[in-house]
């Protein structure tokens, strides 16, 4: 029996119209990295505030925290930027959240206007601006770990590099500058031992309107591997009037794709369920349209008397905070979105964790006055017993309800008007984990001294892809197998010539239960051909011996003056024969005896 968590998201269906949602465990989409918001410019929080945002027991369970980096007043490479939010970062990390940082501006001396608000970045290539600013940001990442114990998951190059403003901290960058700086920042992080911190670009102010900010970087095969996350904000006019259209697809170049800031700007604080339903729809569209791996609201606690935060300026929650919690508390990092299709107008998304078996389906009814009767059919997994609904509505805030019985692979529930419902239950996957397979390897024949390299190709049909680990069950003692990439390597010793050696390779997955497969092949090592000296010549105080023999072994020339004491003069590693072995000290003692040894 495994624990499962359910979450499904729905929109308005016609009253009385039967809506049936089919959730398919094996139809796998993107990985979920998490949900978050920012504590920018905040100082300290109480434990109760931290629990409200980051606890999965009493709060909304956010798994990502974005914070602001405060620029230095220096252009020195040794200067270290700071942040006022370090204690908040500690509390979030202690509650399981990953923390990442973004600079609103470099030091004023790195910009064209020599001031914090607006201006253009002056970095280019490996000039002193790029080198010194990259060093400063690496100093910041290192300082957060050493001084405060905060392990930064990622760091952004620049908050909104396309924002042409002069009324707050900002800095304009070009796509070429982001390309050049990414290399400098990556090298600086590695030099500080912080190379595991992911680099985020470009954090444009609009979701898909300025791809040139990152295409130069991602189209450079040498620089693209240094980037960990493609991210943008979602400040578009429609956020002010209501947008029912899915966000545009964004090329992530195989990287994680994050939405990192959005809010309704201006107006008065709106804590209503109506406002929350707008954000429920937007969140769902981002998850199912461009298939983001992470989604962030702007502020956790608003700094203004509007809707920029999940709470007002005093920390009183809006309903949109609890709506976000319907995802963030139950759809955890490492889950994958899975297929969910519906016969009605409801918006549906579903998620699973194949390692633990946890499952999530979340449901949104945006109808103002009519409840929706919704049926859930479960494909390729079963649920036994009951599920417990959690609801956010006009009068409930992420509140658990009475259990609902699940019959076979189906259950039904009435979604209240203007509500989000998350179901939690127990179940088991179907079909079970399948074993990986290994491609057969033909028998091999080599000479002693030749290095044999064989790649063992394995396949596993389980989705999402599982981690495969390789090991040697039967092999000579001096053979090796890389546990990750399955490369078998063996250089037979001379003493292993004229032998036939069985090799057995095992591959194991990390599914539940762990399953494995083996594959066997043989390696025949040819008999060793004895070397012969085809010619000896003396010239200029040197003796040259031309030797023919087997291809593969090392050829070692030994010398003696008395046939008792022998000295190694030269070893030629796996030469192409004939090989010439030279004694350069013949004049030291013209009475010399030679012998040739094959190795290893």
């Amino acid at each position: 029996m495994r624990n499962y968590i359910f979450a499904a998201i729905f929109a308005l269906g016609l009253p009385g119209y039967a809506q049936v949602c089919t959730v398919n465990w094996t139809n796998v989409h993107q990985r979920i990295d998490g949900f978050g918001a920012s504590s920018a410019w905040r100082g300290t929080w109480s434990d109760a505030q931290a629990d409200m945002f980051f606890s999965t027991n009493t709060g909304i369970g956010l798994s990502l925290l974005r914070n602001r980096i405060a620029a230095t007043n220096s252009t020195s490479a040794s200067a270290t930027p700071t942040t006022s939010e370090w204690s908040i970062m500690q509390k979030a990390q202690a509650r399981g959240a990953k923390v990442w940082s973004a600079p609103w501006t470099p030091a004023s001396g790195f910009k064209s206007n020599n001031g914090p608000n607006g201006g253009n970045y002056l970095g280019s290539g490996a000039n002193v601006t790029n080198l010194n600013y990259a060093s400063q940001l690496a100093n910041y990442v290192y300082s957060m770990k050493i001084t405060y114990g905060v392990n930064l998951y990622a760091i952004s190059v620049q908050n909104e590099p396309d924002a042409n403003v002069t009324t707050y901290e900002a800095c304009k960058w070009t796509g070429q500058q982001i390309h050049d700086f990414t290399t400098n920042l990556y090298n600086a992080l590695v030099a500080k031992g912080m190379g595991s911190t992911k680099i985020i670009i470009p954090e444009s102010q609009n979701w898909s309107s300025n791809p040139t900010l990152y295409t130069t970087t991602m189209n450079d095969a040498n620089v693209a591997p240094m980037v960990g996350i493609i991210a943008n904000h979602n400040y578009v006019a429609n956020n002010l009037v209501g947008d029912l259209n899915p966000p545009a697809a964004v090329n992530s170049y195989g990287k994680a794709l994050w939405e990192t800031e959005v809010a309704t700007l201006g107006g008065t604080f709106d804590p209503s369920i109506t406002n929350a339903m707008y954000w429920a729809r937007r969140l769902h569209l981002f998850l199912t349209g461009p298939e983001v791996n992470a989604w962030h609201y702007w502020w956790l606690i608003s700094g203004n008397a509007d809707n920029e935060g999940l709470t007002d300026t005093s920390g009183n929650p809006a309903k949109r905070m609890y709506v976000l919690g319907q995802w963030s508390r139950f759809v955890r990092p490492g889950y994958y979105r899975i297929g969910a299709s519906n016969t009605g107008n409801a918006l549906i998304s579903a998620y699973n964790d194949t390692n633990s078996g946890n499952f999530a389906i979340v449901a949104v009814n945006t109808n103002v006055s009519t409840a929706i009767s919704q049926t859930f059919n479960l494909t390729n997994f079963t649920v036994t017993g009951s599920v417990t609904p959690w609801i956010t509505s006009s009068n409930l805030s992420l509140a658990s309800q009475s259990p609902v019985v699940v019959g076979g692979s189906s259950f039904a529930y009435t979604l209240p008007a203007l509500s989000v419902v998350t179901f939690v239950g127990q179940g088991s996957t179907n079909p079970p984990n399948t074993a990986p397979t290994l491609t057969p390897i033909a028998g091999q024949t080599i000479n002693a001294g030749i290095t044999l390299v064989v790649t063992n190709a394995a396949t596993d049909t389980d989705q999402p892809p599982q981690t495969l680990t390789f090991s040697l069950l039967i092999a000579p003692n001096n053979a090796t197998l890389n546990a990750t990439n399955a490369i078998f390597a063996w250089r037979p010793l001379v003493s292993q010539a004229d032998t036939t050696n069985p090799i057995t390779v095992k591959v194991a997955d990390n599914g539940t239960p762990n399953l494995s497969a083996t594959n066997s092949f043989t390696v025949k090592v040819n008999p060793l051909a004895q070397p012969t000296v085809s010619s000896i010549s003396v010239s200029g105080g040197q003796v040259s011996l031309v030797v023919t023999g087997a291809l593969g072994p090392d050829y070692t020339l030994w010398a003696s003056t008395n046939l008792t004491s022998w000295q190694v003069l030269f070893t030629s590693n796996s030469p192409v024969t004939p090989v010439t072995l030279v004694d350069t000290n013949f004049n030291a003692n013209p009475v010399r005896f030679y012998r040739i040894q094959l190795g290893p």
Side-chain angles (χ1 to χ4, degrees), residues 505-577:
V505 175
K506 176 182 176 181
V507 59
D509 64 23
N510 65 335
T512 304
N514 298 137
L515 297 178
S516 62
T518 60
N519 187 42
S520 298
F521 59 97
T522 60
V523 179
K524 179 181 178 181
V525 185
N526 290 324
L528 190 65
Q530 294 298 317
T532 60
V533 178
S534 58
S535 67
I536 301 177
S537 61
V538 180
S539 176
Q542 297 188 152
V543 177
S544 298
L545 296 87
V546 178
V547 182
T548 60
L551 178 66
D554 302 336
Y555 284 72
T556 300
L557 179 64
W558 295 72
S560 174
T561 59
N562 55 16
L563 292 177
T564 301
S565 300
W566 291 88
Q567 177 184 8
V568 174
L569 300 182
F570 180 78
T571 297
S572 180
N573 296 321
S574 296
V576 176
T577 60

Side-chain angles (χ1 to χ4, degrees), residues 247-269:
V250 170
N251 187 353
S252 66
Y253 293 85
K255 306 294 183 177
L257 180 63
W258 286 14
E259 184 281 322
T260 50
E261 184 182 314
V262 69
T264 302
L265 306 178
T268 58
F269 181 68

Side-chain angles (χ1 to χ4, degrees), residues 32 64 100 148 195 394 427 429 442 470 493:
I32 301 300
L64 293 168
W100 63 279
Y148 301 110
S394 61
T429 59
F470 301 85
L493 304 174

Side-chain angles (χ1 to χ4, degrees), residues 42-322:
R42 286 282 169 173
T44 59
W45 281 356
S46 66
D47 286 336
Q49 287 175 310
D51 286 339
M52 179 175 70
F53 290 122
F54 297 104
S55 172
T56 56
N57 295 318
T58 61
I60 65 170
L62 294 179
S63 48
L64 293 168
L65 172 67
R66 176 176 183 245
N67 80 284
R68 165 185 168 270
I69 302 173
T72 71
N73 294 319
S74 169
T75 58
S76 169
S78 62
T80 301
T82 59
T83 181
S84 62
E85 303 155 56
W86 58 267
S87 67
I88 298 174
M89 298 160 75
Q90 288 175 329
K91 291 180 186 295
Q93 181 176 269
R95 288 158 176 80
K98 292 178 180 178
V99 180
W100 63 279
S101 298
W104 264 244
T105 179
S108 296
F110 292 141
K111 303 199 299 179
S112 61
N113 65 341
N114 199 34
N117 294 353
N120 298 317
Y121 182 59
L122 298 177
S124 175
N127 69 357
V128 66
T129 295
N130 265 355
L131 291 173
N132 287 5
Y133 185 38
S135 177
Q136 287 188 5
L137 290 185
N139 293 343
Y140 167 79
V141 175
Y142 180 78
S143 173
M144 292 309 302
K145 178 177 181 179
I146 298 302
T147 306
Y148 301 110
V150 174
N151 297 302
L152 287 176
Y153 180 72
I155 185 168
S156 173
V157 167
Q158 170 66 44
N159 172 70
E160 298 185 352
D162 50 348
N164 187 18
V165 297
T166 58
T167 56
Y168 59 83
E169 286 184 347
C171 181
K172 287 197 68 178
W173 295 54
T174 66
Q176 185 64 48
Q177 286 177 318
I178 290 175
H179 165 278
D180 297 349
F181 185 71
T182 295
T183 301
N184 289 279
L185 178 57
Y186 177 81
N187 291 335
L189 289 169
V190 171
K192 277 288 187 179
M194 299 289 107
S196 63
T197 303
K198 298 181 185 296
I199 295 176
I200 299 176
I201 64 169
E203 274 219 280
S204 166
Q205 62 184 338
N206 298 320
W207 176 247
S208 60
S209 64
N210 202 350
T212 58
L213 285 173
Y214 73 103
T215 52
T216 302
T217 301
M218 301 312 296
N219 287 327
D220 186 333
N222 295 318
V223 183
M226 301 176 183
V227 176
I229 299 166
I230 300 298
N232 286 311
H233 299 175
N234 185 222
Y235 286 111
V236 293
N238 283 336
N239 280 330
L240 302 180
V241 299
D243 183 12
L244 304 184
N245 298 313
V250 170
N251 187 353
S252 66
Y253 293 85
K255 306 294 183 177
L257 180 63
W258 286 14
E259 184 281 322
T260 50
E261 184 182 314
V262 69
T264 302
L265 306 178
T268 58
F269 181 68
D270 184 355
S272 70
I273 191 64
T274 301
N275 172 269
M277 290 300 103
Y278 167 75
W279 291 109
R281 182 186 292 276
R282 294 301 297 160
L283 207 165
H284 170 82
L285 291 176
F286 264 95
L287 288 165
T288 59
E291 300 193 6
V292 297
N293 303 95
W295 190 90
H296 298 69
Y297 202 71
W298 165 209
W299 260 332
L300 291 162
I301 298 176
S302 184
N304 302 307
D306 55 16
N307 294 295
E308 296 181 59
L310 295 174
T311 77
D312 64 12
T313 56
S314 299
N316 299 308
K319 283 291 182 179
R320 58 181 169 268
M321 186 190 86
Y322 296 110

